[in-house]
Amino acid sequence: MKLNESIKKTVQETFQKIKTQASELWQGTREGDAPCILVGTATCGRASGSFEVFKAFKEEITKHNLNAHVIPVGCMGHCYAEPLVAVRKPGLPSILYGNVSPPVASTIVKHFLRDDNLLPELMLAALEPNDFLPSIADFPRFALETRTILRDFGIIDPENIMDYIARGGYEGLSVALQRDQEAIIAQVLASGLRGLGGAGFLTGKKWDICFKADANKKYVVCNADEGDPGSFSDRAVIESSPHQVLEGLIIAGYAISASEGYVYIRNEYPLAVKRMKTALQQARDSGLLGKRILGSDYDLDIKVFEGSGAFVCGEETGLIHSLEGKRGMPRHRPPYPALSGLKGAPTLIDNVKTLANIPFITLDSAQAFAALGTEQSKGTAIFSIAGKINNTGLVEVAMGTTLKKLVFDICGGIPKGKKFKAIQIGGPSGGCLSHDFLNTPIDFDSLKEVGSMMGSGGMVVLDEDDCMVDVARYFLDFTQKESCGKCTFCRIGTKQMLLILQDITEGKGNPEDIEVLLDLAEAVHQGSLCGLGKTAPNPILTTLRFFRDEYEAHIAEKQCPAKMCRKLISYYILPEKCERSCEVCVGSCPTEAIYTAKRRIKAIDQEKCVKCGACLDVCPPQYSAVVKFSPADSVPPAPEKLGEEK
């Protein structure tokens, strides 16, 4: 695509007008004399009641006749503290409040906004004021992160394009449209950016292949089909900064001369779908998408395509089949989609987080990006942290950060004083790493060396109460159900491995099962076509490698060391600890298995008990009367039922 100075000048002037307008709007709502309240309204916030909190702030401000702005923002990453609210009042520190309820919102308005009482007893953090609101980068946890993709999360309104532009958004697109395509691709190559969807292929190399493909029609696609259990980073990125992803997609489209594009989002993400559709319309209305983008000669149309939720559609050739209206099933490669993809045309497919990095690279230079991370893994990694961890949520760290720093320093370690046992990285196709690997750097190659993978950015932390055999069974159950069935090894091999694991967790395992699992795992890896099948055995391989003793205990001793497998445990109530007047366990039991015995203590009818663990969950900690027994334990006799009283 040829450029001339006239087009460059038009692009620059057109964007400058939009930027000036956005800056004026930002100053009016964020940097003026009126207080500003930012309420997190991503899915995590909504699930915790942020809608009600947002409404309460509005009502209370009107009630007290105050001048203040209440603005919905995205996810700040602190999902454990939702609903999360940041409040800035001129002349005072910005305050971050966690677990805000409507009554707390009313209190904040009355005591902070009206009377200057910062309410320290309700604070999550006090933040130093700066030019923007709030200066969340000063929050201690954020000081341990390296936020590039997440830099605007919790600051901008995801459904207001002017907020994004005021913070530097779409300037990268403006710069890109004033350059030759070869220069843009060279910059992405120089940055060292690797695909953050799991494969880790060099992004610039893929772009270069697609750019050089000789074709009249090319496509560009954002892969937002995030389906890993425990992973929500792609969803959070779209819900919190959709224009950032869209800008990266438009730059990618320009770089390879694509005329049509898609954002492929699973329909289980309704808020992400809504916000991306809103972003597309706002970009069109602002001249940032469609015909002659920013006055240039470049045309690009992008649509949202809602996937039906098949895990295999996260694989790029399966995604292409779905886009074409076919059943989502992978195909042989080569040819790769960059040469022959959607409708046989060259198709560039990149992950959400990969594309979200592009504006930063285009605007702030490839060298700035390459300075982050390690020699072979540049930039940052975003992880959604779930499981047995104090501070669940979204975290962005420089590549090379150790697992130990992420789990204990950034996310607060394991709750209730429990011991760390393992961490599952990379979703169901990843691996479970034991305590011995906490000093492993987080990057593509280091994780692969120890049997795991980056995957799409999901991490599940496990503690001493988790059974690793059952964890392997859980993840394999997911991948087996999500197999498209095309490959015999994947379709039948994963099923046979799952049946063996089920037998082991039920005390029906045989000594030869371990070797059979290893043989099947190798066969499934070698005989499967796509990444889903090839990596499906990873949870089995890593748990056998690091926790083989648990498999042997299930098989040889018929007991679960973690006392987690239902078929290998029983629940009992200790008479000496049971508080006779307490009835909470009785009300919690779904099968009415708990009865009153002599001396009015409670007991469990083992024939009725379904081992759901509800009684253990509700038993007051000061009593701790409900305990789990394994077959090897000395089981107490069942107390006699209390006779009918006259």
Side-chain angles (χ1 to χ4, degrees):
M1 189 174 294
K2 294 182 179 180
L3 294 174
N4 57 54
E5 293 304 317
S6 175
I7 289 179
K8 291 181 181 180
K9 184 178 180 181
T10 299
V11 169
Q12 189 175 19
E13 291 177 349
T14 303
F15 179 73
Q16 191 57 47
K17 290 179 182 178
I18 300 173
K19 185 177 180 179
T20 300
Q21 182 186 1
S23 298
E24 291 173 353
L25 290 171
W26 179 270
Q27 291 171 0
T29 58
R30 306 301 181 91
E31 300 176 6
D33 296 330
C36 186
I37 302 167
L38 308 181
V39 183
T41 58
T43 294
C44 49
R46 292 181 176 210
S48 300
S50 63
F51 268 152
E52 291 75 13
V53 171
F54 185 86
K55 182 180 178 182
F57 273 114
K58 285 277 195 180
E59 292 175 350
E60 202 67 24
I61 287 169
T62 302
K63 178 181 175 181
H64 293 279
N65 196 28
L66 298 173
N67 179 24
H69 302 289
V70 186
I71 300 171
V73 295
C75 175
M76 297 183 197
H78 296 264
C79 301
Y80 65 94
E82 293 286 1
L84 202 61
V85 174
V87 184
R88 176 262 192 182
K89 187 175 182 181
L92 294 171
S94 297
I95 307 296
L96 200 60
Y97 297 100
N99 304 118
V100 178
S101 62
V104 171
S106 300
T107 301
I108 291 171
V109 172
K110 286 186 286 188
H111 293 280
F112 183 16
L113 296 191
R114 190 185 65 182
D115 301 331
D116 292 346
N117 178 356
L118 274 60
L119 301 168
E121 66 275 15
L122 300 177
M123 288 182 188
L124 189 63
L127 311 169
E128 293 297 326
N130 65 7
D131 293 337
F132 299 107
L133 288 178
S135 56
I136 57 177
D138 296 321
F139 185 30
R141 168 175 157 177
F142 292 147
L144 298 173
E145 297 185 50
T146 305
R147 292 198 159 208
T148 54
I149 293 177
L150 306 187
R151 62 187 178 273
D152 290 332
F153 284 33
I155 295 176
I156 63 172
D157 179 352
E159 298 188 32
N160 186 342
I161 190 174
M162 292 303 178
D163 270 17
Y164 179 66
I165 294 173
R167 292 279 289 171
Y170 284 110
E171 194 157 353
L173 174 62
S174 171
V175 169
L177 291 173
Q178 299 174 57
R179 293 178 181 167
D180 293 330
Q181 294 155 298
E182 293 92 338
I184 298 170
I185 294 172
Q187 193 171 28
V188 176
L189 271 168
S191 74
L193 174 65
R194 296 171 67 172
L196 296 172
F201 190 78
L202 277 173
T203 302
K205 186 175 181 180
K206 186 196 294 187
W207 286 27
D208 189 50
I209 293 170
C210 202
F211 168 70
K212 291 176 178 176
D214 185 16
N216 295 325
K217 178 85 173 181
K218 294 181 183 179
Y219 296 92
V220 64
V221 178
C222 170
N223 183 352
D225 188 61
E226 180 179 51
D228 292 358
S231 180
F232 51 87
S233 56
D234 287 356
R235 170 179 61 76
V237 170
I238 293 177
E239 290 178 355
S240 302
S241 190
H243 285 284
Q244 188 174 340
V245 181
L246 181 56
E247 182 182 5
L249 188 61
I250 299 171
I251 294 172
Y254 171 73
I256 67 162
S257 299
S259 58
E260 191 173 339
Y262 294 91
V263 181
Y264 187 105
I265 310 178
R266 54 180 43 231
N267 63 5
E268 291 95 334
Y269 285 175
L271 183 60
V273 170
K274 174 181 177 292
R275 287 186 170 171
M276 181 54 73
K277 287 182 176 179
T278 299
L280 286 169
Q281 188 57 52
Q282 289 176 345
R284 291 188 190 99
D285 294 342
S286 302
L288 295 160
L289 185 65
K291 299 289 185 182
R292 298 183 60 80
I293 296 174
L294 287 177
S296 69
D297 287 338
Y298 180 54
D299 302 339
L300 177 65
D301 181 44
I302 297 176
K303 300 174 184 176
V304 168
F305 185 97
E306 296 181 47
S308 299
F311 181 61
V312 74
C313 287
E315 195 275 338
E316 57 184 10
T317 60
L319 182 150
I320 288 172
H321 278 153
S322 179
L323 276 174
E324 293 174 339
K326 304 171 185 175
R327 180 182 174 187
M329 299 177 77
R331 63 165 172 79
H332 286 281
R333 296 177 297 176
Y336 290 92
L339 293 174
S340 178
L342 182 60
K343 300 176 184 178
T347 304
L348 179 65
I349 304 177
D350 277 321
N351 171 262
V352 168
K353 297 184 288 291
T354 307
L355 292 169
N357 271 308
I358 297 301
F360 174 77
I361 292 170
T362 306
L363 187 59
D364 295 341
S365 85
Q367 289 70 31
F369 184 87
L372 301 170
T374 67
E375 184 64 29
Q376 299 300 323
S377 298
K378 304 295 185 181
T380 62
I382 297 181
F383 287 100
S384 44
I385 313 296
K388 307 290 184 62
I389 192 80
N390 276 311
N391 300 336
T392 57
L394 205 62
V395 175
E396 184 175 10
V397 294
M399 292 279 192
T401 302
T402 64
L403 290 171
K404 184 177 182 179
K405 183 175 181 179
L406 180 62
V407 172
F408 291 95
D409 296 341
I410 297 177
C411 294
I414 315 303
K416 301 179 181 179
K418 298 287 186 178
K419 294 180 181 179
F420 172 90
K421 188 171 190 177
I423 184 167
Q424 169 79 3
I425 309 174
S429 301
C432 296
L433 302 182
S434 68
H435 186 278
D436 295 336
F437 295 90
L438 279 174
N439 289 321
T440 301
I442 299 170
D443 61 64
F444 290 100
D445 302 319
S446 297
L447 290 176
K448 187 176 181 180
E449 285 176 8
V450 296
S452 189
M453 60 189 290
M454 287 283 288
S456 63
M459 281 191 181
V460 181
V461 180
L462 308 169
D463 70 10
E464 59 189 90
D465 293 333
D466 289 302
C467 170
M468 301 311 297
V469 183
D470 192 62
V471 167
R473 181 207 57 79
Y474 171 81
F475 283 111
L476 188 65
D477 179 63
F478 175 84
T479 51
Q480 194 277 320
K481 288 175 178 174
E482 291 292 339
S483 171
C484 73
K486 183 173 185 176
C487 303
T488 304
F489 284 99
C490 180
R491 182 180 70 250
I492 298 178
T494 55
K495 179 65 174 178
Q496 292 304 313
M497 287 192 294
L498 179 60
L499 291 174
I500 293 172
L501 287 177
Q502 287 175 340
D503 282 345
I504 294 175
T505 58
E506 293 175 4
K508 303 174 185 176
N510 298 308
E512 61 271 18
D513 284 346
I514 292 179
E515 292 304 320
V516 173
L517 282 173
L518 291 172
D519 289 343
L520 281 171
E522 179 63 22
V524 171
H525 173 76
Q526 294 292 336
S528 297
L529 179 61
C530 79
L532 185 151
K534 288 184 177 297
T535 59
N538 281 353
I540 294 177
L541 294 173
T542 52
T543 52
L544 274 172
R545 180 180 174 186
F546 306 127
F547 303 96
R548 191 183 183 107
D549 58 323
E550 293 198 24
Y551 281 83
E552 292 171 346
H554 281 73
I555 294 171
E557 302 170 26
K558 307 302 180 186
Q559 64 175 315
C560 174
K563 295 183 179 179
M564 183 179 177
C565 298
R566 286 192 181 187
K567 296 287 186 177
L568 300 179
I569 58 170
S570 299
Y571 287 88
Y572 284 87
I573 298 176
L574 299 177
E576 65 273 17
K577 291 190 175 184
C578 181
E579 171 57 45
R580 294 174 178 81
S581 61
C582 177
E583 297 280 341
V584 291
C585 61
V586 176
S588 71
C589 183
T591 60
E592 298 182 352
I594 299 177
Y595 62 91
T596 302
K598 289 183 177 181
R599 293 182 289 118
R600 303 203 64 80
I601 62 171
K602 304 299 178 290
I604 300 175
D605 185 336
Q606 296 300 317
E607 292 185 0
K608 291 183 178 180
C609 180
V610 293
K611 304 174 184 179
C612 64
C615 54
L616 178 63
D617 293 336
V618 301
C619 184
Q622 63 266 35
Y623 305 139
S624 299
V626 182
V627 294
K628 287 192 256 187
F629 282 83
S630 70
D633 295 325
S634 178
V635 178
E640 295 181 13
K641 292 184 179 180
L642 183 67
E644 293 184 1
E645 295 183 5
K646 295 182 181 179

